[in-house]
Structure formats: structure tokens, C-alpha cells
Amino acid sequence: IPNGISEEGLLQRDDRQLRLRFGLDARKIVLYIGRLSSIKGADLLIEAYSLITERFPDYQLVIFGNDHGGFQDQLEAQVRSLGVTHLVRILPPVFGVEKSWAYHAAELMVIPSRFDTMTIVALEASVCGCPILLTANCDFQAIEEHGGGLVVPATVEGIAEGLNRLLPDDFDRRSMGERGREFVLREYGWNGIGEDFLSLFREIRK
């Protein structure tokens, strides 16, 4: 039985307050939310993003995450070495209303994991209508099958190609996000997931 999701706590939207709170400018946002560790692949995303910045100068990469074992220092050094300090922000983790603001403000949510189970941030972002770019190692190919995101290899080249496909102005990210929202609420809402648990409990009792 997969993770369940509720809209509660994910309905708040305030792009202006998000930008004021974290000192973000008016450029459009590519978003990462998650632990800062090798397995989660933020380093892959930063390198991939550095390859496409000339094509998309009106974007910024915003990373919200909690450091794991000093990996944040490696990411910040990577940002400096790639010369993208003006394009990439690494910020503390967000929770509650600020996380909701971030999902709603983003043009695209990226989940670049080298390995993952179906991560809850994919469900949260989808509920907020944010389209998703994620790696094939995230075990959530269904989001692409239902039109709510794009699945790519867990490589720098794969993620860069995904960004190149989803960020152009003529790509309809809004419709992709709406399809993802409809799919996730239908298949992963707690009403349906709760029924699955009840059915399991009934079987165990027999």
C-alpha cells in the first residue's frame, strides 16, 4: 500500500511572501525539496542545471534541504566551481505553510534521486499542481504514465535533457501539473488508501 496524501496544509499560496522570506528575486523557480545527501542527487541536479542556464536565463534553482553528513558543503563548493552562484540558492528546509508556498510558486519540481522509494514530495508537489521531473530510480513511473511529470535517467545528462524539455515557454506545464494533481488525489488520497488498509486488516483477521 503506497503513501497517502491529503490536501490539508498544501492549499496555501503566497508567491510574494515566499520570495520576501527567502530573498528570492522575480525569476521563475525550479525547485528541490529534500535531504541534502548523495543518495538524493542534488549534486546531479546542480550540474545538470549548470548545463542549461544559458538557454533559460529567466530561471533560478532553489534548493530547500537539511544537511546530511556535511553534504551541503560539497554542494556549495560545487555551485562555486561551476560558476552558478547567481543562479542557485541552497536554503534551510521548509515546513508547513512555507513548503506549500514553495510548491505553488515553482514552475517545476525536480526529484533527482540516485535511489528512492516513491517519495512523499512527489505527491505533495502534485497536489499543489506542480509538474514533476524525476529519475527512474524514484519508483514512481505512474506520474509520467498519467501525464503529470517526466521520468528520466538518474544522470546529469538525463536530468539536463528533462529540463530542456519541460522549461521552454511553449511547454504547457500548467496542464501537466493539473493532470498530476487529478491523478494523485484520485489514486493516493487518504480516502482510497484508507480503504486499502481496512481491506488488508479484514484479510488479516480472517
Side-chain angles (χ1 to χ4, degrees):
I1 299 176
N3 289 324
I5 191 70
S6 170
E7 288 184 279
E8 184 178 357
L10 293 170
L11 297 175
Q12 297 92 337
R13 179 170 194 160
D14 196 326
D15 185 69
R16 180 175 178 274
Q17 281 299 317
L18 176 79
R19 292 173 187 275
L20 286 173
R21 183 74 57 87
F22 295 101
L24 301 173
D25 60 35
R27 288 175 295 174
K28 292 181 281 190
I29 294 171
V30 174
L31 180 66
Y32 171 98
I33 292 178
R35 190 169 72 250
L36 303 182
S37 67
S38 177
I39 197 170
K40 294 294 185 178
D43 57 316
L44 298 178
L45 173 57
I46 290 170
E47 186 170 351
Y49 190 76
S50 74
L51 299 177
I52 59 92
T53 55
E54 289 188 8
R55 185 180 178 194
F56 304 106
D58 55 339
Y59 279 87
Q60 59 190 314
L61 173 59
V62 179
I63 295 173
F64 290 106
N66 54 308
D67 186 27
H68 182 77
F71 196 69
Q72 182 171 343
D73 290 340
Q74 297 180 44
L75 296 179
E76 291 173 347
Q78 180 187 26
V79 169
R80 292 191 296 272
S81 69
L82 291 171
V84 291
T85 54
H86 60 302
L87 301 171
V88 180
R89 294 289 305 279
I90 301 176
L91 299 166
V94 282
F95 305 98
V97 66
E98 292 177 345
K99 182 188 280 191
S100 180
W101 291 347
Y103 287 134
H104 283 285
E107 294 288 324
L108 181 68
M109 172 76 183
V110 185
I111 306 170
S113 299
R114 289 181 168 90
F115 175 79
D116 217 330
T117 54
M118 192 193 68
T119 172
I120 193 68
V121 296
L123 300 182
E124 291 176 343
S126 293
V127 164
C128 294
C130 183
I132 299 171
L133 173 64
L134 72 167
T135 68
N137 297 4
C138 290
D139 192 29
F140 194 34
Q141 282 78 0
I143 193 68
E144 178 178 88
E145 294 165 5
H146 289 82
L150 177 65
V151 176
V152 297
T155 63
V156 169
E157 296 77 14
I159 295 167
E161 175 59 24
L163 293 169
N164 275 318
R165 289 178 60 182
L166 299 185
L167 294 185
D169 290 340
D170 60 356
F171 186 87
D172 191 357
R173 288 181 298 277
R174 180 182 296 273
S175 292
M176 175 177 271
E178 290 173 353
R179 290 191 295 269
R181 172 179 164 79
E182 292 171 1
F183 166 64
V184 166
L185 287 176
R186 182 177 68 249
E187 298 296 326
Y188 298 92
W190 271 116
N191 287 339
I193 297 297
E195 284 299 321
D196 291 341
F197 275 109
L198 289 174
S199 296
L200 175 62
F201 297 153
R202 292 188 190 105
E203 286 297 317
I204 292 172
R205 290 183 61 188
K206 289 181 180 179

